[in-house]
Amino acid sequence: MTPKAAKTPAPQQAALADLVVPSSTFTRTSTREWDRERTGPFDVDRFAKLLSGTPDEDRGLFARTGFVRGHVSIRMAADDRRLVVYLYQFRTHEGAVQLQNSFWDQYEHGDSFTVRGLGRTWTDAGLKQSSTRYTATANVNFAFGTFLVAVSVTESNKTGKGLRPDTDLAATIAKQQRDHLAGAV
């Protein structure tokens, strides 16, 4: 029996990272260890281990939808707002739409908002409170070709004062992400 060779990242993974829209606002790497551990390419196993709230369910979803590969980018703005972009690639557009539906059904959602110019877009926005912080989040999810894209813009503070989900920024980044994908694939 021959020993298994160490896995090296496939060139495709680096290319998928290049499909994440660049931002002049969100330029910093997060200082949070939790974010740094989760940023980068993922396959089914890495997603289930680090990124999923429902690992067994998501493994089955990825198998049924023809998931090929994914990438998550987590970047910070100078004012500590956080941008998270997930790119999921599938064998078919139908697989992307099926995962979009399934993921969306897994969680409760806040208020929806409109993103003009993007088809099949699901959005939610809201303010949540933990024991130490308030967080305002705006999410946009859309299927584009064989990709499912999830964009999340968050901002948090200790009081909740002045926080509101930045739905305009999330919509703008989602449209830029779609245009970036369209120009690259």
Side-chain angles (χ1 to χ4, degrees):
M1 186 184 242
T2 14
K4 288 185 179 180
K7 285 187 178 181
T8 57
Q12 290 181 346
Q13 296 295 356
L16 193 56
D18 293 338
L19 295 179
V20 175
V21 66
S23 171
S24 59
T25 303
F26 295 90
T27 57
R28 293 189 303 121
T29 302
S30 176
T31 58
R32 294 175 12 188
E33 183 66 26
W34 191 92
D35 287 348
R36 287 195 314 271
E37 288 175 357
R38 284 155 179 79
T39 297
F42 59 85
D43 57 13
V44 173
D45 290 333
R46 186 168 191 272
F47 185 87
K49 181 179 177 183
L50 289 176
L51 302 168
S52 174
T54 55
D56 292 336
E57 185 178 344
D58 289 345
R59 283 179 192 279
L61 284 171
F62 277 17
R64 286 191 304 277
T65 57
F67 173 78
V68 175
R69 60 188 175 140
H71 185 86
V72 62
S73 170
I74 304 173
R75 296 177 292 186
M76 305 296 291
D79 60 3
D80 286 335
R81 286 177 296 158
R82 185 172 178 253
L83 170 65
V84 180
V85 177
Y86 280 88
L87 296 179
Y88 304 87
Q89 188 175 21
F90 299 84
R91 287 188 202 96
T92 66
H93 174 72
E94 293 75 20
V97 170
Q98 185 180 358
L99 190 72
Q100 180 186 29
N101 291 336
S102 297
F103 271 5
W104 201 255
D105 290 343
Q106 285 181 354
Y107 302 97
E108 290 184 30
H109 300 283
D111 298 328
S112 64
F113 58 97
T114 301
V115 180
R116 299 202 189 288
L118 269 182
R120 185 149 184 80
T121 304
W122 294 13
T123 61
D124 79 339
L127 186 64
K128 293 184 181 177
Q129 179 183 2
S130 72
S131 59
T132 59
R133 299 193 73 73
Y134 291 83
T135 303
T137 305
N139 299 299
V140 179
N141 293 281
F142 64 95
F144 180 82
T146 60
F147 290 92
L148 173 61
V149 178
V151 172
S152 179
V153 175
T154 61
E155 182 177 3
S156 64
N157 66 32
K158 292 182 179 182
T159 66
K161 186 175 181 175
L163 280 183
R164 71 169 186 78
D166 196 339
T167 57
D168 291 339
L169 182 59
T172 297
I173 292 170
K175 288 189 276 189
Q176 290 171 346
Q177 181 62 65
R178 186 251 349 253
D179 294 346
H180 189 67
L181 278 174
V185 292

